[in-house]
C-alpha cells in the first residue's frame, strides 16, 4: 500500500518512507491511498489472539512493505510484560452493564502514548534500513506532557537516533515535568519553552518546514523526523486497541460479533480519535465516536457547527494533555471525509494558518455529525466526575478520562442512546495525583505536598498501587534545566547536535 499527502495526492511513497520522514514535503500529512477492509470473519480471527498478535494483523494491513516477521518482531518487542505492567497490555475494566474503560496506561510512562511510542522506534529503525538511509535521525517532539516522556522512553539509546523534546514551561503537571527532566539515555535532550503547547508545536513545525536548515542538517549527516501523532507510524499502532477492545468484549460475551459499540475519546490533537475513525472505516462496528474536549473546546464547536476557529483564549486546565487549539490530525479526517479532496484541504489549512479559521460546507457538516458527537467539560465538572465515579463505582480515573466520562454522560442524557460504550482511559490517575486527590479528598489534603507525597496519599486513599516507574522517579537526579524562548528552539537543536 502506498501513502500520499493530504495536500497533494499525486505524491506516492511507501509506508517506510512515510514513517521515516514524518511530514509530507508539502507540509501535508501522510495518509494511506486506500483504507484496508476487514470482514467480520477477519475480526473473529483476532478474538482469541494476544494483544501483540492482534497488532501484527492490523499493522500488516497498512505497512505492506514490511514482512510479517518484521512486524512480529516490532510488536513483540513493544508489547510485552517487561514494558507493560499487565499481560493484557490494554485491559478493559467493566464499570456497569453497558460501560467499560479501556485502560491504555499500563506502559512505562503511565499514559496512552506508550501504546504507539513503544513500537514506533522499532518501525522507524526498520524504515531507515528499507529506504537505504544512512543519516542519523533526529526526532523533534513538541509535547503537551505525555508524548515527550513516552517518546524519550521509546527512543532512549536507540542506535542511529537522537531525540529532542520541547515542553511548555507552565503547561505540564509536576509529575510530567519530573518524568522528562530526569530522563536517562545517551541520545536524549529536553528543554522547556516559554509559552504554551501551541507555541512549542508551531516552533517544531517551523523547524520541520525550514528547507535551508534541513540542508545544514544534511551536511552534518542528520535528518529530522517526528514522533508526534502527525507521524503515520504513531497512528497505525493506535488503531490496534480499538479492534482489541472490541475483540475483548466479544471474548467476554459482553457483545455478539457484529454488534455496534460507541467509543468516547478524550481528545487534544485528534490523533487518538482519528485512529478510532480509521478502525470504523476498516469495518469495525462503531455506532458513534464521542469526541470529548476540555475547556479548549475548539473541536466541540467544529463538530457542532462546521466552523473551526482557534481565535479564542488558550486555557490551562487540569487535563493539560488536551490543552490544544490546533488539532493537527483533523487534517487527515478532512481529507478522508471529503473523498480525498486534497485541493480543499490545502485551502482550509491555508486559511487556518492565515486567519485561524475555516468553515466546511453543509455536506461535510452532515457527514461529520453522522460519525461524531462532540462535547466538552470544564475543570469543576471534571473533578466532580472523578469524585462521583470513585464514590459510586469505586473506580478512580485521571482527569483526561474524567473529561470523557463527563461528556459521555451528556451524550447519554441528550440522545438516550443505550449502545454499549467504551470510554478510552488515557492516563493513570497517579500521573495527575494533585487534581485527582483534590477531587476525591478535598483541596486541603493536597496543600503543600510535593508530587511524591501526593503519590503516597493517592495510593492510600484509592487503595491502588503506585506504578513502579513513577515511584522510582524520586531517586533520580534532575538532568535537564534548559529553558528557551520560542525563537531559540533552533539554537537548542543546533547545540545538541554540535552544529557549527
Ligand atoms: C495525548 C493525550 C490525550 C489526547 O490525545 P490526542 O491524540 O492528542 O487527541 C488525552 N489524554 C492523555 C492522557 C494524553 O496524554
Amino acid at each position: 500500500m502506498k501513502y500520499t499527502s493530504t495536500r497533494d495526492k499525486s505524491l506516492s511513497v511507501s509506508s517506510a518512507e512515510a514513517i521515516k520522514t514524518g511530514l509530507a514535503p508539502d507540509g501535508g500529512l501522510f495518509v494511506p491511498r486506500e483504507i484496508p477492509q476487514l470482514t467480520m470473519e477477519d475480526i473473529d480471527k483476532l478474538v482469541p489472539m494476544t494483544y501483540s498478535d492482534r497488532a501484527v494483523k492490523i499493522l500488516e494491513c497498512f505497512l505492506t512493505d514490511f514482512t510479517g516477521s518484521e512486524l512480529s518482531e516490532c510488536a513483540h518487542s513493544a508489547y510485552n510484560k517487561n514494558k507493560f505492567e499487565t499481560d493484557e497490555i490494554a485491559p478493559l475494566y467493566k464499570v456497569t452493564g453497558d460501560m467499560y474503560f479501556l485502560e491504555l496506561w499500563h506502559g512505562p510512562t503511565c499514559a496512552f502514548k506508550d501504546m504507539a511510542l513503544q513500537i514506533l522506534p522499532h518501525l522507524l529503525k526498520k524504515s531507515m534500513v528499507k529506504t537505504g538511509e544512512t543519516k542519523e535521525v533526529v526526532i523533534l517532539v513538541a509535547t503537551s506532557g505525555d508524548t515527550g516522556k513516552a517518546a524519550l522512553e521509546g527512543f532512549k539509546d536507540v542506535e542511529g537516533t537522537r531525540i529532542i523534546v520541547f515542553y511548555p514551561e507552565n503547561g505540564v503537571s509536576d509529575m510530567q515535568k519530573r518524568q522528562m527532566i530526569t530522563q536517562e539515555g545517551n541520545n536524549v535532550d529536553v528543554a522547556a519553552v516559554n509559552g504554551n503547547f501551541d507555541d512549542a508545536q508551531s516552533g517544531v513545525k517551523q523547524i520541520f518546514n525550514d528547507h535551508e536548515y534541513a540542508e545544514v542538517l544534511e551536511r552534518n549527516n542528520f535528518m529530522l523526523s517526528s514522533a508526534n501523532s502527525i507521524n503515520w507510524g504513531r497512528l497505525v499502532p493506535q488503531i490496534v486497541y480499538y479492534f482489541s477492545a472490541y475483540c475483548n468484549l466479544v471474548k467476554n460475551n459482553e457483545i455478539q460479533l457484529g454488534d455496534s459499540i460507541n467509543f468516547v475519546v478524550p481528545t487534544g490533537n485528534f490523533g487518538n480519535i482519528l485512529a478510532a475513525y480509521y478502525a470504523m472505516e476498516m469495518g469495525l462496528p462503531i455506532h458513534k465516536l464521542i469526541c470529548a474536549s476540555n475547556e479548549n473546546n475548539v473541536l466541540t464547536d467544529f463538530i457542532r457547527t462546521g466552523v473551526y476557529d482557534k481565535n479564542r483564549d488558550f486555557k490551562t486546565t487540569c487535563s493539560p494533555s488536551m490543552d490544544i487549539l490546533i488539532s493537527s490530525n483533523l487534517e487527515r479526517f478532512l481529507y478522508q471525509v471529503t473523498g480525498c479532496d486534497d485541493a480543499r484541504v490545502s485551502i482550509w489549512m491555508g486559511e487556518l494558518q492565515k486567519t485561524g479559521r475555516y468553515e466546511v460546507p453543509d455536506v461535510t457538516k452532515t457527514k461529520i455529525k453522522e460519525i461524531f458527537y462532540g462535547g466538552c467539560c470544564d475543570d469543576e465538572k471534571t473533578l466532580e466526575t472523578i469524585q462521583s465515579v470513585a464514590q459510586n463505582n469505586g473506580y478512580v480515573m485521571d482527569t483526561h478520562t474524567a473529561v470523557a466520562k463527563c461528556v459521555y454522560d451528556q451524550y447519554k442524557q441528550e440522545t438516550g442512546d443505550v449502545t454499549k460504550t467504551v470510554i478510552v482511559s488515557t492516563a493513570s490517575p497517579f500521573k495527575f495525583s494533585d487534581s485527582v486527590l483534590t477531587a476525591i479528598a478535598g483541596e486541603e489534603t493536597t496543600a503543600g505536598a510535593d508530587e511524591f507525597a501526593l503519590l503516597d496519599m493517592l495510593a492510600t486513599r484509592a487503595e491502588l498501587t503506585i506504578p513502579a516507574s513513577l515511584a522510582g522517579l524520586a531517586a533520580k537526579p534532575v538532568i535537564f534545566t534548559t529553558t528557551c524562548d520560542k525563537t531559540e528552539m533552533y539554537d537548542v537543536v543546533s547545540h545538541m547536535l554540535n552544529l557549527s
Side-chain angles (χ1 to χ4, degrees), residues 110-113 144-147 176 229 234 238 265-273 299 321-322 324 329 398 400-401 426-427 431-432:
C110 305
F112 93 94
K113 304 295 195 296
S144 57
D146 292 325
T147 297
Q176 287 176 320
S229 56
R234 258 208 46 197
Q238 295 186 179
V265 188
T267 305
N269 226 350
F270 208 75
N272 201 355
I273 197 163
L299 286 167
S321 303
M322 292 153 61
I324 292 174
N329 268 299
D398 97 289
H400 304 75
T401 310
T426 50
K431 236 180 149 167
F432 302 94

Side-chain angles (χ1 to χ4, degrees), residues 323-472:
D323 290 346
I324 292 174
L325 292 177
I326 305 172
S327 301
S328 307
N329 268 299
L330 193 60
E331 180 169 348
R332 284 190 167 107
F333 172 71
L334 292 171
Y335 178 83
Q336 303 293 354
V337 80
T338 55
C340 311
D341 193 343
D342 53 350
R344 276 271 183 147
V345 174
S346 301
I347 291 168
W348 289 332
M349 292 304 117
E351 287 173 5
L352 181 63
Q353 174 103 40
K354 269 227 296 288
T355 67
R357 180 185 186 279
Y358 60 86
E359 177 166 8
V360 301
D362 287 344
V363 277
T364 313
K365 286 180 199 172
T366 309
K367 280 189 193 156
I368 292 171
K369 280 197 183 151
E370 276 165 19
I371 301 164
F372 294 103
Y373 170 92
C376 58
C377 163
D378 64 17
D379 278 2
E380 194 185 330
K381 275 260 173 241
T382 304
L383 298 192
E384 262 174 47
T385 308
I386 293 174
Q387 202 277 335
S388 78
V389 172
Q391 191 169 352
N392 301 329
N393 309 98
Y395 186 79
V396 177
M397 300 177 285
D398 97 289
T399 47
H400 304 75
T401 310
V403 168
K405 167 69 168 79
C406 178
V407 170
Y408 174 56
D409 291 342
Q410 292 168 30
Y411 167 80
K412 239 183 133 170
Q413 179 124 50
E414 216 171 283
T415 61
D417 182 13
V418 293
T419 306
K420 295 204 175 185
T421 297
V422 173
I423 297 173
V424 176
S425 177
T426 50
S428 157
F430 286 102
K431 236 180 149 167
F432 302 94
S433 307
D434 195 348
S435 302
V436 174
L437 269 169
T438 301
I440 63 175
E443 202 154 4
E444 48 308 335
T445 49
T446 66
D450 74 5
E451 59 264 48
F452 299 108
L454 291 170
L455 285 181
D456 290 331
M457 280 159 66
L458 182 57
T460 311
R461 204 64 210 206
E463 295 176 29
L464 292 169
T465 313
I466 305 172
S469 60
L470 297 184

